[in-house]
Amino acid sequence: MSLKKYIAYITVVETGSLTKAAEILNYTQPNISQMINSLEEEYGFPLLLRQRNGVKPTKNGLAVLHGMREIQRGYKNLSETVNGINGLETGKIRIGAYTSIATNWIPDILKEFKKQYPFIEIQVYEGNASELDQWLEEDQIDFGIGTVHNHKWEFQALFEDPIMVIMNAHHDLAKLDFISLEAIESVAFILPYSDSLFEVHNIFKKEQINPNVAYQIRGDETIISMVRSNLGISLLPNLLLRGCSTDIVIKPLKNQVFRQIGVLMNTRGAQTPSVDKMIHFIHKWTKKNN
């Protein structure tokens, strides 16, 4: 059946490895190679570039990948609909989420969702804004939970997350009730990378603020650790700071700024029933818990 070959090829592309794809799909590596070779013979052109450190799709292989994924999604839709008619809720959901969301929301969401739908399989991918973009573009996730930064995707708002100022308890600014952006210019600042927290960069750009950047760091936990060591202050979303009060003072900005958290979706294909159920569940859960 061609569907099995399509799934094999999709998995090989996503893992970059024939061996890893075989492990995931419970085939032998020769079985996977045979299916890919069969597709290449059928189509009349190579689908994969075989390299020393793995494989990657050829230009033509990328061109047919989207069509294969649409067929795979259609089959999932059919299977889930048939199972639903027969009283069995099944499916597979792939979610991409920011670190703060994966840490603070996802465990509780999954715990409650699985009580209602125990037979729906869920995979969670943790990443930054750039990675969510890539996963949506390449159809490696069904939807993401992040911020509205790329108007290419459909966005369903969930929650406004305030951007907060964090500092060591002994920092000179710690005695203030709120912090102005102008005050940030006069002290050492730890700047997140734009692919992790582009909202912070947008704040400075919009208000024409030039922070005194002492360090530029990508990892949220590293930023918090450096602030705890009094190496500078920083700006981070409130959701990311839950449970981080030890030796850290969290202050609001004088003119409060929020990041808009929501569901990000690629609109190229219809979602499966299980994905629709999860998105609806997340909206209800967020409204109840925030």
Side-chain angles (χ1 to χ4, degrees):
M1 181 181 179
S2 293
L3 179 63
K4 291 181 179 180
K5 299 177 187 178
Y6 297 159
I7 293 173
Y9 178 66
I10 291 167
T11 308
V12 168
V13 172
E14 290 178 350
T15 61
S17 166
L18 294 168
T19 302
K20 289 179 181 177
E23 291 173 359
I24 291 171
L25 298 175
N26 293 318
Y27 289 118
T28 65
Q29 193 269 343
N31 287 152
I32 295 293
S33 294
Q34 185 178 10
M35 283 190 276
I36 301 301
N37 290 337
S38 175
L39 282 175
E40 290 178 328
E41 290 177 8
E42 180 182 343
Y43 293 161
F45 51 78
L47 294 172
L48 293 174
L49 292 172
R50 290 153 174 87
Q51 302 171 315
R52 183 175 297 178
N53 59 345
V55 295
K56 68 177 185 179
T58 62
K59 183 178 178 180
N60 289 332
L62 280 175
V64 300
L65 183 62
H66 174 65
M68 291 184 186
R69 282 180 167 145
E70 284 297 302
I71 293 171
Q72 181 190 32
R73 185 181 288 109
Y75 181 75
K76 287 180 180 178
N77 259 312
L78 176 60
S79 297
E80 290 180 22
T81 300
V82 171
N83 287 335
I85 292 170
N86 290 320
L88 183 62
E89 302 285 355
T90 63
K92 181 177 180 180
I93 305 169
R94 304 164 301 165
I95 306 171
Y98 288 175
T99 299
S100 54
I101 295 161
T103 302
N104 292 289
W105 284 11
I106 295 296
D108 290 335
I109 289 173
L110 298 189
K111 183 179 180 180
E112 293 186 30
F113 185 82
K114 291 293 277 186
K115 288 179 182 177
Q116 295 185 34
Y117 306 105
F119 299 109
I120 292 179
E121 180 186 347
I122 302 167
Q123 294 179 330
V124 179
Y125 300 83
E126 184 180 328
N128 58 35
S130 297
E131 288 171 317
L132 257 63
D133 275 345
Q134 180 180 344
W135 294 337
L136 285 167
E137 181 65 40
E138 296 177 356
D139 198 21
Q140 293 189 39
I141 57 176
D142 296 304
F143 65 91
I145 308 177
T147 51
V148 55
H149 61 279
N150 187 337
H151 296 287
K152 183 176 183 178
W153 315 125
E154 178 184 334
F155 182 79
Q156 298 178 7
L158 293 171
F159 170 70
E160 284 191 338
D161 188 19
I163 304 294
M164 309 297 286
V165 188
I166 62 169
M167 65 202 73
N168 182 279
H170 301 291
H171 196 279
D172 291 341
L173 298 180
K175 61 182 179 292
L176 301 177
D177 293 330
F178 51 80
I179 311 297
S180 68
L181 288 172
E182 289 73 21
I184 292 175
E185 290 183 303
S186 62
V187 297
F189 188 81
I190 302 169
L191 181 69
Y193 273 85
S194 58
D195 62 357
S196 298
L197 280 167
F198 64 89
E199 295 92 353
V200 172
H201 291 256
N202 287 348
I203 291 170
F204 293 143
K205 184 178 180 180
K206 181 179 178 181
E207 302 298 330
Q208 297 184 328
I209 298 296
N210 295 307
N212 177 22
V213 179
Y215 305 95
Q216 188 165 11
I217 305 295
R218 177 166 282 108
D220 304 321
E221 292 300 324
T222 304
I223 292 173
I224 293 169
S225 179
M226 292 178 73
V227 168
R228 188 173 284 125
S229 297
N230 209 15
L231 293 172
I233 72 171
S234 192
L235 292 176
L236 288 178
N238 191 54
L239 188 59
L240 196 61
L241 299 171
R242 293 183 180 178
C244 296
S245 58
T246 306
D247 298 324
I248 292 290
V249 173
I250 303 171
K251 298 286 185 177
L253 283 165
K254 183 177 181 180
N255 297 316
Q256 191 65 69
V257 178
F258 298 85
R259 65 170 183 169
Q260 183 74 61
I261 300 291
V263 174
L264 298 157
M265 287 182 289
N266 191 327
T267 58
R268 285 185 302 198
Q271 298 290 4
T272 61
S274 60
V275 171
D276 286 336
K277 286 183 175 67
M278 173 58 87
I279 292 172
H280 179 69
F281 185 89
I282 289 171
H283 277 279
K284 288 179 61 179
W285 184 92
T286 307
K287 189 175 294 185
K288 181 175 68 174
N289 290 278
N290 292 283

